[in-house]
mmCIF file of all heavy atoms in Angstrom:
data_model
loop_
_atom_site.group_PDB
_atom_site.id
_atom_site.type_symbol
_atom_site.label_atom_id
_atom_site.label_comp_id
_atom_site.label_asym_id
_atom_site.label_seq_id
_atom_site.Cartn_x
_atom_site.Cartn_y
_atom_site.Cartn_z
ATOM 1 N N ALA B 112 13.641 -26.405 38.385
ATOM 2 C CA ALA B 112 13.567 -26.859 39.793
ATOM 3 C C ALA B 112 12.915 -28.177 39.915
ATOM 4 O O ALA B 112 13.330 -29.140 40.605
ATOM 5 C CB ALA B 112 12.887 -25.771 40.680
ATOM 6 N N GLY B 113 11.768 -28.314 39.161
ATOM 7 C CA GLY B 113 10.949 -29.470 39.242
ATOM 8 C C GLY B 113 11.664 -30.702 38.561
ATOM 9 O O GLY B 113 11.276 -31.854 38.842
ATOM 10 N N ALA B 114 12.540 -30.367 37.652
ATOM 11 C CA ALA B 114 13.160 -31.458 36.850
ATOM 12 C C ALA B 114 14.561 -31.760 37.323
ATOM 13 O O ALA B 114 15.324 -32.553 36.697
ATOM 14 C CB ALA B 114 13.246 -31.033 35.360
ATOM 15 N N GLY B 115 15.012 -31.162 38.375
ATOM 16 C CA GLY B 115 16.330 -31.476 38.910
ATOM 17 C C GLY B 115 17.500 -30.952 38.162
ATOM 18 O O GLY B 115 18.628 -31.456 38.232
ATOM 19 N N ILE B 116 17.240 -29.890 37.461
ATOM 20 C CA ILE B 116 18.318 -29.220 36.654
ATOM 21 C C ILE B 116 18.959 -28.166 37.564
ATOM 22 O O ILE B 116 18.319 -27.356 38.158
ATOM 23 C CB ILE B 116 17.689 -28.540 35.420
ATOM 24 C CG1 ILE B 116 16.988 -29.599 34.525
ATOM 25 C CG2 ILE B 116 18.809 -27.846 34.632
ATOM 26 C CD1 ILE B 116 17.910 -30.653 33.961
ATOM 27 N N GLY B 117 20.347 -28.183 37.603
ATOM 28 C CA GLY B 117 21.046 -27.251 38.510
ATOM 29 C C GLY B 117 21.041 -25.833 38.038
ATOM 30 O O GLY B 117 21.101 -24.902 38.905
ATOM 31 N N ALA B 118 20.998 -25.630 36.756
ATOM 32 C CA ALA B 118 20.956 -24.227 36.113
ATOM 33 C C ALA B 118 21.002 -24.479 34.682
ATOM 34 O O ALA B 118 21.177 -25.576 34.150
ATOM 35 C CB ALA B 118 22.213 -23.411 36.526
ATOM 36 N N PHE B 119 20.616 -23.446 33.955
ATOM 37 C CA PHE B 119 20.583 -23.564 32.494
ATOM 38 C C PHE B 119 20.961 -22.196 31.834
ATOM 39 O O PHE B 119 20.877 -21.135 32.449
ATOM 40 C CB PHE B 119 19.203 -24.025 31.980
ATOM 41 C CG PHE B 119 18.088 -22.970 32.375
ATOM 42 C CD1 PHE B 119 17.686 -22.034 31.439
ATOM 43 C CD2 PHE B 119 17.467 -23.094 33.592
ATOM 44 C CE1 PHE B 119 16.666 -21.199 31.812
ATOM 45 C CE2 PHE B 119 16.453 -22.150 33.990
ATOM 46 C CZ PHE B 119 15.976 -21.187 33.013
ATOM 47 N N PHE B 120 21.466 -22.252 30.624
ATOM 48 C CA PHE B 120 21.814 -21.068 29.866
ATOM 49 C C PHE B 120 20.651 -20.666 28.957
ATOM 50 O O PHE B 120 20.203 -21.501 28.093
ATOM 51 C CB PHE B 120 23.020 -21.348 28.989
ATOM 52 C CG PHE B 120 24.292 -21.322 29.829
ATOM 53 C CD1 PHE B 120 24.955 -22.499 30.216
ATOM 54 C CD2 PHE B 120 24.885 -20.053 30.236
ATOM 55 C CE1 PHE B 120 26.091 -22.396 31.059
ATOM 56 C CE2 PHE B 120 26.008 -20.037 30.984
ATOM 57 C CZ PHE B 120 26.642 -21.186 31.385
ATOM 58 N N SER B 121 20.149 -19.480 29.142
ATOM 59 C CA SER B 121 19.017 -19.043 28.342
ATOM 60 C C SER B 121 19.507 -17.870 27.467
ATOM 61 O O SER B 121 20.254 -16.984 27.903
ATOM 62 C CB SER B 121 17.895 -18.505 29.294
ATOM 63 O OG SER B 121 16.953 -17.834 28.604
ATOM 64 N N PRO B 122 18.901 -17.798 26.228
ATOM 65 C CA PRO B 122 19.308 -16.628 25.362
ATOM 66 C C PRO B 122 18.486 -15.386 25.677
ATOM 67 O O PRO B 122 18.838 -14.282 25.292
ATOM 68 C CB PRO B 122 18.932 -17.132 23.968
ATOM 69 C CG PRO B 122 17.814 -18.151 24.221
ATOM 70 C CD PRO B 122 18.093 -18.765 25.546
ATOM 71 N N THR B 123 17.472 -15.552 26.543
ATOM 72 C CA THR B 123 16.583 -14.474 26.834
ATOM 73 C C THR B 123 17.255 -13.441 27.785
ATOM 74 O O THR B 123 17.952 -13.872 28.753
ATOM 75 C CB THR B 123 15.291 -14.993 27.607
ATOM 76 O OG1 THR B 123 14.605 -15.834 26.743
ATOM 77 C CG2 THR B 123 14.425 -13.812 28.005
ATOM 78 N N ALA B 124 17.172 -12.155 27.427
ATOM 79 C CA ALA B 124 17.693 -11.017 28.276
ATOM 80 C C ALA B 124 19.149 -10.766 28.034
ATOM 81 O O ALA B 124 19.658 -9.837 28.681
ATOM 82 C CB ALA B 124 17.429 -11.245 29.739
ATOM 83 N N VAL B 125 19.848 -11.482 27.129
ATOM 84 C CA VAL B 125 21.243 -11.161 26.788
ATOM 85 C C VAL B 125 21.344 -9.677 26.434
ATOM 86 O O VAL B 125 20.542 -9.199 25.590
ATOM 87 C CB VAL B 125 21.663 -12.070 25.704
ATOM 88 C CG1 VAL B 125 23.095 -11.516 25.135
ATOM 89 C CG2 VAL B 125 21.950 -13.501 26.150
ATOM 90 N N GLY B 126 22.247 -8.903 27.033
ATOM 91 C CA GLY B 126 22.570 -7.578 26.629
ATOM 92 C C GLY B 126 21.522 -6.593 27.302
ATOM 93 O O GLY B 126 21.520 -5.428 26.909
ATOM 94 N N THR B 127 20.686 -7.041 28.185
ATOM 95 C CA THR B 127 19.711 -6.197 28.802
ATOM 96 C C THR B 127 20.046 -6.049 30.249
ATOM 97 O O THR B 127 20.838 -6.802 30.804
ATOM 98 C CB THR B 127 18.306 -6.759 28.705
ATOM 99 O OG1 THR B 127 18.166 -7.839 29.688
ATOM 100 C CG2 THR B 127 18.004 -7.368 27.303
ATOM 101 N N PRO B 128 19.363 -5.026 30.905
ATOM 102 C CA PRO B 128 19.651 -4.858 32.340
ATOM 103 C C PRO B 128 19.293 -6.044 33.204
ATOM 104 O O PRO B 128 19.887 -6.269 34.282
ATOM 105 C CB PRO B 128 18.735 -3.710 32.775
ATOM 106 C CG PRO B 128 18.441 -2.973 31.456
ATOM 107 C CD PRO B 128 18.520 -3.996 30.379
ATOM 108 N N LEU B 129 18.380 -6.941 32.723
ATOM 109 C CA LEU B 129 17.988 -8.104 33.552
ATOM 110 C C LEU B 129 19.096 -9.221 33.528
ATOM 111 O O LEU B 129 18.956 -10.196 34.156
ATOM 112 C CB LEU B 129 16.672 -8.662 33.110
ATOM 113 C CG LEU B 129 15.517 -7.737 33.302
ATOM 114 C CD1 LEU B 129 14.208 -8.449 32.992
ATOM 115 C CD2 LEU B 129 15.463 -7.080 34.662
ATOM 116 N N ALA B 130 20.138 -9.011 32.687
ATOM 117 C CA ALA B 130 21.234 -9.994 32.660
ATOM 118 C C ALA B 130 22.454 -9.440 33.470
ATOM 119 O O ALA B 130 23.497 -10.168 33.543
ATOM 120 C CB ALA B 130 21.604 -10.336 31.250
ATOM 121 N N GLU B 131 22.411 -8.292 33.888
ATOM 122 C CA GLU B 131 23.501 -7.682 34.579
ATOM 123 C C GLU B 131 23.929 -8.462 35.782
ATOM 124 O O GLU B 131 23.154 -8.879 36.546
ATOM 125 C CB GLU B 131 23.203 -6.211 34.931
ATOM 126 C CG GLU B 131 23.435 -5.189 33.842
ATOM 127 C CD GLU B 131 22.914 -3.828 34.160
ATOM 128 O OE1 GLU B 131 22.692 -3.520 35.345
ATOM 129 O OE2 GLU B 131 22.738 -3.087 33.177
#
Side-chain angles (χ1 to χ4, degrees):
Chain B
I116 301 295
F119 60 94
F120 283 101
S121 170
T123 300
V125 165
T127 79
L129 296 189
E131 274 169 18

